[in-house]
Amino acid sequence: MDVGQIVKKAKKGNKEALLQLVMNQKDEYYRLAYTYMENQHDAMDAMEEMILRLYENIGQLKKEDAFYSWSKTILVNSCKSLLRKRKKLVLVEDFNQYIEADIPDPYLHSEQQIDIQQLLMKVNPHQAETIKLKYFHDLDYETIAQITNVSVGTVKSRIFEGLKKLRRFSGGGKDE
């Protein structure tokens, strides 16, 4: 059965069909959520919120073949919403975990991952987000534009300028 048929079933209220759609790409959803949330628990919370929003709004989806890009947009918006809420409320336990998280765990991240994360902190947040979506999640320009709510040209520009800065910061750029 193709995705379009499963989406049609989900739009008619079939919860099993919606669950099947989500389970087909659960790893991609998780990796995308983890990119934004940076921990397993929060990534799972964002996925739960996405599933709830999908269930409530699937009737609004006009093109069945756009389900996965639409659902990823909802996931990213859920992540951003949770991050905004988190900034407003900092629990004492979270603050203590944050302080403990500053102590590097050599078994948690490889040296290369840390280098990439540090480099991405040197570009602006929009460029870092776009680069992560393109190169960590292998999303096309159109999907990234939809997720970030900007034009395809803006996505390409952010990637180009971000990569240019990263090359310069890593010592590989000749320009500027």
Side-chain angles (χ1 to χ4, degrees):
M1 186 176 290
D2 71 64
V3 173
Q5 290 176 330
I6 300 171
V7 172
K8 284 180 183 175
K9 280 185 171 182
K11 287 175 81 171
K12 291 179 182 174
N14 185 328
K15 293 176 188 173
E16 292 297 320
L18 182 62
L19 184 62
Q20 183 181 355
L21 290 165
V22 171
M23 294 306 286
N24 284 346
Q25 295 207 351
K26 68 179 187 238
D27 293 337
E28 290 183 36
Y29 288 128
Y30 177 76
R31 282 187 277 128
L32 182 60
Y34 192 87
T35 297
Y36 283 90
M37 305 308 290
E38 298 180 344
N39 76 56
Q40 293 177 339
H41 180 74
D42 291 343
M44 295 304 288
D45 285 348
M47 286 180 61
E48 282 180 26
E49 191 168 318
M50 174 200 72
I51 293 168
L52 181 63
R53 288 184 184 179
L54 290 176
Y55 180 72
E56 291 172 348
N57 299 308
I58 195 158
Q60 298 173 7
L61 180 64
K62 293 186 175 37
K63 296 179 181 176
E64 282 81 17
D65 56 341
F67 175 79
Y68 285 114
S69 62
W70 177 71
S71 61
K72 288 175 183 170
T73 301
I74 289 174
L75 178 59
V76 169
N77 289 334
S78 296
C79 290
K80 289 179 178 178
S81 173
L82 290 172
L83 288 171
R84 276 192 299 273
K85 288 177 188 172
R86 187 192 306 164
K87 283 183 181 177
K88 291 180 182 173
L89 178 67
V90 177
L91 300 175
V92 174
E93 321 160 342
D94 292 341
F95 184 73
N96 289 337
Q97 287 177 350
Y98 178 76
I99 290 172
E100 290 171 8
D102 282 345
I103 301 168
D105 180 2
Y107 302 107
L108 188 60
H109 296 289
S110 73
E111 204 170 295
Q112 186 179 19
Q113 288 173 321
I114 292 170
D115 289 345
I116 291 171
Q117 290 297 332
Q118 287 175 343
L119 275 173
L120 286 173
M121 290 171 57
K122 294 183 178 192
V123 298
N124 76 45
H126 295 298
Q127 292 169 336
E129 177 184 30
T130 309
I131 289 169
K132 285 178 185 177
L133 292 173
K134 177 70 180 162
Y135 295 105
F136 293 6
H137 299 283
D138 199 30
L139 298 176
D140 59 64
Y141 294 121
E142 191 73 37
T143 303
I144 295 169
Q146 188 176 7
I147 287 173
T148 57
N149 202 25
V150 297
S151 70
V152 172
T154 302
V155 168
K156 289 179 180 178
S157 173
R158 285 179 179 173
I159 290 172
F160 176 78
E161 292 299 324
L163 291 177
K164 190 171 154 185
K165 284 181 188 175
L166 290 176
R167 273 188 225 107
R168 191 175 61 235
F169 287 125
S170 67
K174 294 178 182 174
D175 46 54
E176 293 187 54

